[in-house]
Amino acid sequence: MPTPKDPSAEASERRPEPAPESAESAESVERDGADAVPASAPAPASSAPAPRKRSPYSMSKGDASMRNIAWALGLTLGCVAVVGVIFFGVGRSVDREIPETSRLDVGASAQRAQEQAPFPVAQPALGGSWTPRAADFTAGDRPTWELRFTSPSNTLVNIVESEEMSAADLSSELPGADATGDVTIEGADCQTVSGEDDEHGITCQGDGWAVIVHGTADDGDLKTAAQATVRSIEDGGTTGS
């Protein structure tokens, strides 16, 4: 009598085997698995450094060039100013000593002026502490002889001589001139006058001549220059020297 078969064994014999995956499917799975990147994987860090932020105090090449130009310009102007002060002085104060060999020859200039002037040309005898700066004769309708000296107080004194000195002439030589008093110098009738910008002076008039001595020098220096000028004129000027 045949032995009955186990039902579980029979079911196991009938269960179909799983179909083998095709080569194409396996290859696709393998490629997808190789290319896939886990979502949680970090992004690769960049090898290039981040650009540095420019400081607001830093200077570009253009800024540096402009700064160099400004420094050069300032240095040049400073040198020009120093040279100007050395050679021309400041205002009316003259403090640069003139070598004895380079001093103005007032006598020679006066001799030439006397050849044309209708009045005795003054050649004031002032001491060595007075430095002559200019000696000019102007011909024309109103011939004028002008001298300039640096006084011992280191200020400029002007001496202007002509045939006569009208009110207009006086205002031209000393703007804002106003008589402040009478004075006699070397026997000549004179007046003290004041003008603008602290200028003052002495004006004198004689026979065929008139002179004004003015500047910002002190009264003593102006009086000394006026006395020497009037004395020279009364003695005949250059012709009497």
Side-chain angles (χ1 to χ4, degrees):
M1 185 173 189
T3 305
K5 294 182 178 182
D6 186 358
S8 60
E10 185 178 355
S12 176
E13 289 177 0
R14 289 196 304 266
R15 184 181 300 166
E17 296 182 359
E21 294 179 355
S22 65
E24 182 177 355
S25 297
E27 183 179 0
S28 175
V29 170
E30 181 181 357
R31 183 173 62 250
D32 292 345
D35 293 343
V37 178
S40 60
S46 174
S47 60
R52 297 178 60 184
K53 185 178 180 181
R54 184 172 180 266
S55 170
Y57 301 102
S58 63
M59 299 184 67
S60 65
K61 291 183 178 179
D63 295 334
S65 298
M66 290 301 296
R67 183 183 63 178
N68 293 338
I69 292 173
W71 271 105
L73 182 60
L75 183 60
T76 301
L77 293 177
C79 292
V80 171
V82 171
V83 171
V85 169
I86 292 174
F87 281 92
F88 299 104
V90 178
R92 298 191 175 191
S93 177
V94 185
D95 55 5
R96 187 166 60 95
E97 289 295 330
I98 297 178
E100 191 68 32
T101 55
S102 301
R103 290 201 171 197
L104 174 67
D105 189 345
V106 176
S109 298
Q111 289 286 351
R112 291 190 295 269
Q114 190 63 78
E115 297 174 359
Q116 306 177 62
F119 50 81
V121 173
Q123 187 179 338
L126 295 168
S129 57
W130 290 74
T131 305
R133 295 291 176 177
D136 299 303
F137 177 76
T138 303
D141 296 336
R142 181 178 176 265
T144 303
W145 168 242
E146 183 173 2
L147 295 170
R148 293 183 182 179
F149 287 88
T150 298
S151 73
S153 60
N154 200 34
T155 51
L156 196 63
V157 173
N158 298 280
I159 302 172
V160 182
E161 182 187 3
S162 59
E163 286 186 275
E164 59 182 359
M165 188 76 62
S166 65
D169 295 333
L170 183 60
S171 295
S172 176
E173 297 296 339
L174 182 61
D178 185 27
T180 57
D182 298 325
V183 63
T184 300
I185 293 180
E186 297 295 322
D189 294 331
C190 305
Q191 283 185 321
T192 56
V193 291
S194 63
E196 299 174 353
D197 299 328
D198 295 328
E199 281 210 48
H200 55 289
I202 301 172
T203 179
C204 304
Q205 188 131 0
D207 186 12
W209 61 270
V211 67
I212 178 174
V213 180
H214 67 93
T216 56
D218 58 45
D219 293 338
D221 286 343
L222 290 178
K223 187 175 181 179
T224 298
Q227 287 173 332
T229 301
V230 173
R231 187 182 305 120
S232 174
I233 295 173
E234 293 291 357
D235 290 343
T238 300
T239 57
S241 300

